[in-house]
Amino acid sequence: KGHHLKGYRIPGNQHNTMEAPLDLIRLSIDERVYVKCRNDRELRGKLHAYDQHLNMILGEVEEVVTSIEIDEETDEEIVKKSTRKLDMLFVRGDIIVLVSPPLRTT
């Protein structure tokens, strides 16, 4: 049998309990989440929908892509961050490394 996080409570949500890992995602619907993806890509946006493969639809998205280039003359690493804003984005689950729910304060 699989192990579940039985009855773990999210602060501020008296009636919402987590019993399986995807419950953390379920409890974040309609809230802003942080999604770290492969290839140094980070997303912050409002979670509209997801499925069992962790495919997601995010709204009001800010995407930050970090790239490292080598300066030809000095051999120094140059870190570049490019940012873009998108109204809506479909994120394929197999590129997701980490999902962080919104910060909840009690």
Side-chain angles (χ1 to χ4, degrees):
K1 287 187 173 181
H3 296 288
H4 295 288
L5 305 171
K6 289 274 184 219
Y8 178 80
R9 294 200 177 280
I10 299 286
N13 290 334
Q14 304 85 344
H15 60 279
N16 291 334
T17 59
M18 284 198 308
E19 296 186 354
L22 281 181
D23 289 348
L24 184 64
I25 309 300
R26 177 179 54 82
L27 294 174
S28 299
I29 286 284
D30 290 331
E31 297 198 56
R32 290 190 66 76
V33 294
Y34 167 77
V35 181
K36 184 170 176 59
C37 302
R38 287 196 224 155
N39 298 326
D40 296 313
R41 183 178 306 261
E42 300 172 63
L43 306 168
R44 283 182 175 80
K46 188 174 185 180
L47 179 63
H48 288 291
Y50 72 97
D51 66 14
Q52 73 272 20
H53 304 291
L54 219 54
N55 295 320
M56 293 182 175
I57 295 177
L58 297 175
E60 304 162 32
V61 184
E62 181 184 62
E63 176 190 53
V64 178
V65 179
T66 304
S67 59
I68 297 175
E69 297 176 6
I70 305 294
D71 185 306
E72 303 269 332
E73 296 173 15
T74 63
D75 260 358
E76 288 184 48
E77 286 187 354
I78 302 165
V79 178
K80 289 188 175 180
K81 288 186 184 275
S82 61
T83 303
R84 67 178 178 155
K85 294 192 183 297
L86 304 149
D87 289 334
M88 195 69 68
L89 185 66
F90 174 86
V91 184
R92 195 172 146 105
D94 64 357
I95 71 157
I96 294 175
V97 175
L98 174 147
V99 178
S100 177
L103 199 58
R104 290 185 170 87
T105 55
T106 50

